[in-house]
Amino acid sequence: MKGTEAIIETMLKSGTDTTFGYPGGSVIPLFDEYLEYEGKIRNILVRHEQAAAHAADAYARVTGKPGVCIATSGPGSTNLVTGIMTAYMDSSPLIAFGGQVAVDLLGNDAFQEADMLGITMPITKHSFQIRNADEISETILKAYKIATGGRPGPVYIDLPKDPQIQETHKSIPKDVHIESYQPKTHPHTHQINKAAQMIMNAQRPIIVAGGGVVLANSAEELTSLAHFLKAPVTTTLMGKGSIDESDPLSLGMLGMHGRKIANYAVLNCDLMIAIGCRFSDRITGNLESFADNCKVIHIDIDPAEIGKNVSVDLPIVGDAKLSLLALLKALTENIAKDTSWYERIRELQKECNCDYNEKAKINPRKVLDEVLKVKKENDIIATGVGQHQMFSAHFLKINKPRTFISSGGAGTMGFGLPASIGAKTARPNVNVFDIDGDGSFQMNSQELATCAEENIKVNPIIISNHYLGMVRQWLEIYFGKRYSQVSLGKNPDFVKLAQAYGLDGTSVTKPDELKDALQNQQKSKDTYIINVEVEQESNILPMLPPGGHIKEAFGGCMVAPGCFFNKR
Amino acid sequence: MKTQRHILGILVEDQPGVMARVSGLFARRGFNINTITVGSTRDAGISKMIFSINGDDKLLEQVVKQVNKLVSVIKISELKPSDSIIKEIALIKISIPSENAKFDIIKCSEIYKAKISDLTHKSAILQLHGEPEKIDAFIHLVKRYGIKEVSRTGVTAMSRGICVLNNKN
């Protein structure tokens, strides 16, 4: 068979029936082959390669299966870079194919040649270059194995033109063995028993759940552990959805823009059970003083994350699901738990139900409250990056894992629209909302064309404050309101923009118009934009100064909650 | 924590770009490399790299864990100076300012067991092998005659006794 047949056959065999891509000289043979596989594999033709990477990334986040994107050599592949890095930072199993010039031209600065192996080296889990058609199937199978094995991550495959058109007689292997890649997934029993002992001795435990819990499909086990211990659970941005946020034990997100209740529980716990999180600076603030009053158990499949940022009292290397199951088993004997910690948390949670004033201008939170009214349990939320993203993290209660898709580690603006396209492709039967900012949305708004042409119905809700809101907030707080380069001015007319692509939308300026707008959006068969003109200078609070101690967090809804913790 | 020299033995799959993967990782994570040596091993398709780095124990732990994550890396392990043979080869080109200096240089070379690999009226190339500290000391000793050029291989190392660095344990 031809090289291109081998590529598609191997992808199909690995469970891929959808790719996101954009053609160009060096991948013409591959896309030519797609015509022979009509009905078996579908390529979503995006309008910019970056969007292909984000869409494939979101596809992976929603399904847990690798997402595949394809671009041509040179600028096509370099346009994937932001998307690959986004997937890398959030441990998403992305497989990126980049075309490449013919093997005998490599290194000659040929037309549209770029050293993509070199460029992607720091932002991929691994990369390959296929130099011969005989290598195709084995390499692609290896890529799938590496992308999904252990801690997931992106794999880049450099695909020179000639192997695509060569003939190969090699059949697709059943399985591949990678001698040097054998990730450890089973936790050590001894460590589990020690952890169980520490947990039984703890008076005020807290669970910090990261993206690893979602990636390991262990939301159920996490919830069981929390309920068994009556331990509150706080999540990172990536961990959102690992516990039903309407569960009384759920405290929401911690960290720089974390909920006060979550940060104060972190501050006052005596044992932190951190699962599948990497303690980024957005979580810890000042590293020296983070978790300095408690013991820390850190469960992670990636040994390099343990002890990297936060000193750990008990490390457990293993898959989150397997570790949680082992821990639940080790904890079966019932311990009489003092419930005062749980009760204090519950008491504080009541204090935390802040409300916004219904002013003439719309508060961003109001938008999200209205979205929650129409959003069904399995519906998916994708976001851009900025204030709207943090508002979403705070106020959109998420009930299920893999239904909140956001660029966490990378903080990639423009992620929302292409991500919602990827999510909708993966889950055609649910509603996918793109909660976006006016700045973020404009970074990939060309993908409205993809929605229109490929009949992908997503629900973009643009929270417009005519500013790059997060930067404006920093300038207000830390730079004495010297607003430099943050005004977006008048903004394009987003409704007309939608119409230009043959879609429709509406613009909302008053709170009571939101409900109808959302209903019209739901009724529309096509992608329908809602542009919401919100208060221009609202801030997302609470906020922890960068590098600051959690105690220094300011703003937000609980009034001086620290005092609750000081009396016992 | 105390900063000291650490020697790391790394077994890698012998593929194009492996060196870039490993050294690139060191660079972007801010790990300083003193020396690198690479060569073939007993097993076809597997190369061995010996890295010498400076850092404290916490840095060492991160280096080992991060390198271990690279798919092309089969094994990484620290070679502790007390349990290892650590050697380096150096070529030192030295100028010979006078006849007296020549005799001095020959004497120094004899004491350090350095071989004179090349000799002209004005210069000599001294070849020396041994522990890096010994080479440092020799260079310091002959510096006053005027060193023209130094080529050092970087350290290679092996653990003492029956223990081996391989992918089986």
Side-chain angles (χ1 to χ4, degrees), chain A residues 45-362:
Chain A
L45 177 66
V46 292
R47 292 300 182 272
H48 187 290
E49 290 90 347
Q50 182 190 350
H54 290 327
D57 176 356
Y59 182 97
R61 294 185 198 217
V62 164
T63 59
K65 292 195 301 184
V68 179
C69 61
I70 304 166
T72 191
S73 63
S77 303
T78 57
N79 276 347
L80 293 176
V81 167
T82 303
I84 296 173
M85 180 262 191
T86 305
Y88 182 73
M89 293 297 278
D90 290 343
S91 307
S92 180
L94 171 74
I95 294 180
F97 283 96
Q100 186 55 281
V101 300
V103 171
D104 59 356
L105 288 176
L106 279 169
N108 281 358
D109 300 326
F111 177 65
Q112 291 193 330
E113 180 184 3
D115 171 17
M116 284 305 294
L117 289 189
I119 289 171
T120 58
M121 210 170 267
I123 52 166
T124 49
K125 200 169 160 187
H126 196 58
S127 51
F128 294 97
Q129 185 174 59
I130 295 175
R131 287 172 167 244
N132 186 309
D134 288 346
E135 298 168 7
I136 287 174
S137 295
E138 199 183 325
T139 305
I140 295 176
L141 289 179
K142 280 183 178 172
Y144 274 81
K145 202 164 201 170
I146 292 167
T148 51
R151 177 182 181 177
V155 176
Y156 178 80
I157 302 175
D158 213 33
L159 195 59
K161 196 165 181 177
D162 25 351
Q164 297 176 47
I165 46 181
Q166 280 164 6
E167 283 289 322
T168 173
H169 300 291
K170 281 221 167 172
S171 54
I172 302 170
K174 275 211 175 69
D175 196 10
V176 283
H177 175 77
I178 311 168
E179 176 68 30
S180 57
Y181 185 67
Q182 313 282 341
K184 181 173 144 52
T185 53
H186 282 268
H188 203 292
T189 316
H190 184 63
Q191 296 296 87
I192 291 287
N193 290 339
K194 274 209 245 174
Q197 204 56 50
M198 279 169 76
I199 291 169
M200 284 191 242
N201 291 335
Q203 302 294 315
R204 302 184 303 280
I206 186 171
I207 298 171
V208 178
V213 177
V214 176
L215 290 167
N217 299 318
S218 53
E220 204 180 302
E221 291 77 10
L222 177 89
T223 310
S224 302
L225 180 70
H227 284 194
F228 183 75
L229 300 174
K230 280 206 167 209
V233 179
T234 176
T235 70
T236 66
L237 184 69
M238 302 316 299
K240 203 169 157 67
S242 58
I243 184 166
D244 183 340
E245 290 187 304
S246 55
D247 192 306
L249 285 167
S250 166
L251 304 184
M253 189 173 72
L254 78 159
M256 178 179 273
H257 284 294
R259 291 187 82 97
K260 271 200 163 171
I261 178 78
N263 281 339
Y264 277 89
V266 164
L267 207 53
N268 289 275
C269 69
D270 67 346
L271 175 69
M272 181 184 290
I273 310 163
I275 310 165
C277 76
R278 60 190 175 86
F279 290 119
S280 88
D281 57 295
R282 287 298 190 262
I283 292 301
T284 61
N286 181 284
L287 266 181
E288 300 293 310
S289 56
F290 181 79
D292 56 353
N293 285 324
C294 65
K295 291 221 177 324
V296 178
I297 299 173
H298 191 179
I299 303 174
D300 206 293
I301 197 157
D302 179 357
E305 288 304 343
I306 297 177
K308 186 178 89 179
N309 294 332
V310 170
S311 304
V312 168
D313 297 281
L314 186 81
I316 297 178
V317 177
D319 171 78
K321 193 184 190 98
L322 296 176
S323 304
L324 279 162
L325 283 170
L327 206 47
L328 281 166
K329 214 171 149 196
L331 282 167
T332 43
E333 49 176 302
N334 226 339
I335 14 157
K337 268 271 162 202
D338 174 7
T339 56
S340 60
W341 165 246
Y342 169 69
E343 279 152 18
R344 275 156 71 199
I345 294 284
R346 287 295 288 157
E347 194 183 331
L348 280 166
Q349 266 174 316
K350 283 181 212 144
E351 300 288 319
C352 199
N353 282 327
C354 69
D355 220 339
Y356 44 86
N357 296 327
E358 294 265 1
K359 289 190 207 153
K361 274 279 186 180
I362 305 172

Side-chain angles (χ1 to χ4, degrees), chain B residues 35-55:
Chain B
T35 71
I36 312 172
T37 56
V38 195
S40 58
T41 63
R42 190 194 62 176
D43 304 305
I46 295 177
S47 301
K48 189 194 276 180
M49 301 177 175
I50 305 286
F51 276 74
S52 160
I53 61 164
N54 267 343

Side-chain angles (χ1 to χ4, degrees), chain B residues 3-109:
Chain B
T3 295
Q4 60 188 57
R5 187 188 65 176
H6 298 279
I7 309 290
L8 297 170
I10 307 174
L11 284 183
V12 297
E13 286 182 347
D14 183 14
Q15 291 159 345
V18 175
M19 188 59 173
R21 283 181 204 281
V22 179
S23 55
L25 174 72
F26 275 81
R28 67 176 172 272
R29 298 258 173 197
F31 307 145
N32 263 329
I33 304 168
N34 295 332
T35 71
I36 312 172
T37 56
V38 195
S40 58
T41 63
R42 190 194 62 176
D43 304 305
I46 295 177
S47 301
K48 189 194 276 180
M49 301 177 175
I50 305 286
F51 276 74
S52 160
I53 61 164
N54 267 343
D56 60 29
D57 287 350
K58 192 171 172 3
L59 181 93
L60 178 74
E61 186 188 324
Q62 264 299 301
V63 172
V64 170
K65 284 173 166 178
Q66 294 292 349
V67 172
N68 223 349
K69 269 169 75 170
L70 293 174
V71 172
S72 313
V73 169
I74 298 163
K75 186 162 175 108
I76 174 166
S77 128
E78 190 192 3
L79 294 158
K80 294 226 159 69
S82 53
D83 303 327
S84 312
I85 304 292
I86 297 168
K87 297 286 179 196
E88 186 177 8
I89 299 173
L91 297 174
I92 300 148
K93 186 176 283 179
I94 196 166
S95 57
I96 301 177
S98 65
E99 200 63 10
N100 280 350
K102 185 153 100 187
F103 286 113
D104 282 356
I105 290 166
I106 290 170
K107 209 165 198 178
C108 291
S109 299

Side-chain angles (χ1 to χ4, degrees), chain A residues 419-437:
Chain A
S420 57
I421 291 171
K424 181 68 179 179
T425 313
R427 294 273 180 268
N429 299 324
V430 306
N431 271 317
V432 178
F433 294 90
D434 166 27
I435 309 290
D436 230 323

